[in-house]
Amino acid sequence: MAHEQQTPAGKSGVIGIIGRPSAGKSSMVNRICGAKVAITSPFPQTTRTQIRGIFTEKRGQLMFLDTPGYHLSDKKLNHSYQQVVTEALPECDALLYVRDLTRPGGPEEDAILQLVRSSGLPWVAAMNKIDALLIDGVMGSESLEQYTAAAEQLPQEHPPFAVVETSAENGIGYERLLDALFEISPEGPPMYPAEFYTDQEPTFRIAEIIREKAICRTKQEVPHAMYVDIADAEYNEPKNTLTVRAFLIVERITQKAIVVGAGGKKIKAIRLSALRELNQLFDYKIKLDLRVKVQPKWRHRDAVIRKITHAGQSS
């Protein structure tokens, strides 16, 4: 996979990543781990469950728990995303707080920082998207005010071990960020072999990549009204092929028409785009039967929400 070093002794830490929707958490995990661990999109709250990424080098091993963006909302699904975040905290040895510098702070940022404080865990603040504030490598007066306001919101009680300016887009600050995370991680044996960059089951990764391709080809409410259900997956050893039957679930007939597209063109494009990536990701061939199904008001159904927010997690 991403790393070929011998499994080292040294640091071994579980790092929980916390921040608002679209702060760049998933892009950060992908860059650190050197592989696509989490799907990304321009839409907020693309991440719906814990996503585990693994980084191994000579100093030791860090396992990152990417969590859904923490959004203050009374909607049932958003409340479940909040629970995913809070449930992850007891598993962690340290936290990585990701702050999007392109957006002003407010009550949501305060709520996240309160979670960080109350956890009692050592933490690092990544001031992300710093590149958006720079012109020829320098901050103007307006950008400096923006950065200062974000920095002043960081708590004085239980302060971060380090504050690091980062950019998931171009890799600014990543060496310093890793230095800080290894510094605050405990000693211990590695949790996984050195070649692992994630421990996700193949069917979970397949579902996520299908969802990413569907999100990128739809707009408005449709991306939030979709989830992927893997009906079955059968591996044929002689042919080295995994045949997958999957459904893109939406809430309304009108949404189904959008996802299917005129003459079935859009669902075909989603399937082919997913297949291209899946056949690069796995060392066996993927065959994909993808269809669209309507499940009214699934975002109000506890069983479906739990299935989505706990997908890919160990039982």
Side-chain angles (χ1 to χ4, degrees), residues 19-169:
R20 290 165 71 186
S22 299
K25 301 182 298 300
S26 296
S27 296
M28 191 168 286
V29 171
N30 290 343
R31 178 171 282 276
I32 289 173
C33 295
K36 187 168 184 175
V37 175
I39 65 170
T40 60
S41 85
F43 294 92
Q45 293 189 310
T46 298
T47 300
R48 289 173 165 175
T49 185
Q50 286 184 25
I51 304 291
R52 294 183 292 274
I54 302 158
F55 175 77
T56 306
E57 53 125 271
K58 62 183 180 181
R59 287 176 288 187
Q61 187 175 87
L62 302 176
M63 184 177 79
F64 293 91
L65 292 184
D66 184 18
T67 61
Y70 196 88
H71 174 52
L72 295 178
S73 169
D74 291 329
K75 290 183 179 179
K76 186 183 284 282
L77 187 57
N78 287 326
H79 183 66
S80 295
Y81 294 157
Q82 293 173 21
Q83 287 183 316
V84 173
V85 176
T86 55
E87 287 172 2
L89 296 180
E91 300 180 42
C92 300
D93 297 305
L95 297 179
L96 173 57
Y97 162 69
V98 182
R99 171 64 188 265
D100 179 356
L101 290 173
T102 66
R103 291 184 288 170
E108 209 159 57
E109 215 75 62
D110 286 332
I112 295 167
L113 288 168
Q114 178 56 39
L115 283 176
V116 173
R117 282 195 300 269
S118 61
S119 74
L121 295 168
W123 62 292
V124 171
M127 310 298 269
N128 200 32
K129 305 184 185 180
I130 187 68
D131 51 317
L133 272 60
L134 302 176
I135 300 175
D136 296 327
V138 178
M139 283 191 202
S141 57
E142 185 175 335
S143 294
L144 185 58
E145 287 179 10
Q146 201 169 332
Y147 181 87
T148 301
E152 287 177 346
Q153 198 171 6
L154 299 176
Q156 298 301 308
E157 296 179 5
H158 191 52
F161 173 80
V163 179
V164 184
E165 292 78 34
T166 61
S167 168
E169 184 73 21

Side-chain angles (χ1 to χ4, degrees), residues 76 224-227 248-256 292-305 308:
K76 186 183 284 282
H224 297 291
M226 290 190 299
Y227 78 94
L248 259 169
I249 310 295
V250 294
E251 287 188 312
R252 298 196 297 270
I253 292 289
T254 52
Q255 294 167 348
K256 179 178 179 179
V292 185
K293 185 188 291 186
V294 177
Q295 191 175 100
K297 297 184 178 180
W298 68 257
R299 283 181 286 183
H300 299 274
R301 299 183 182 184
D302 291 337
V304 176
I305 289 173
I308 291 169

Side-chain angles (χ1 to χ4, degrees), residues 144-280:
L144 185 58
E145 287 179 10
Q146 201 169 332
Y147 181 87
T148 301
E152 287 177 346
Q153 198 171 6
L154 299 176
Q156 298 301 308
E157 296 179 5
H158 191 52
F161 173 80
V163 179
V164 184
E165 292 78 34
T166 61
S167 168
E169 184 73 21
N170 56 31
I172 291 174
Y174 273 71
E175 288 187 13
R176 186 169 167 235
L177 184 64
L178 283 168
D179 288 345
L181 292 173
F182 273 112
E183 188 70 24
I184 62 175
S185 292
E187 302 281 342
M191 295 163 277
Y192 296 91
E195 67 271 16
F196 277 43
Y197 59 80
T198 187
D199 65 353
Q200 298 164 5
E201 291 292 330
T203 50
F204 174 75
R205 303 190 76 186
I206 290 167
E208 285 289 270
I209 287 172
I210 292 170
R211 187 165 66 92
E212 179 186 61
K213 304 312 177 188
I215 287 172
C216 292
R217 284 169 171 78
T218 53
K219 57 185 179 180
Q220 296 176 344
E221 176 64 13
V222 179
H224 297 291
M226 290 190 299
Y227 78 94
V228 176
D229 180 35
I230 302 294
D232 51 63
E234 184 176 350
Y235 178 64
N236 185 310
E237 188 171 357
K239 294 183 178 180
N240 195 32
T241 298
L242 183 69
T243 301
V244 178
R245 187 165 60 99
F247 291 95
L248 259 169
I249 310 295
V250 294
E251 287 188 312
R252 298 196 297 270
I253 292 289
T254 52
Q255 294 167 348
K256 179 178 179 179
I258 291 169
V259 176
V260 171
K265 288 183 179 179
K266 187 169 290 185
I267 190 64
K268 180 181 179 180
I270 292 168
R271 186 180 73 85
L272 292 176
S273 179
L275 273 175
R276 278 193 293 271
E277 185 160 334
L278 291 169
N279 281 313
Q280 291 177 351

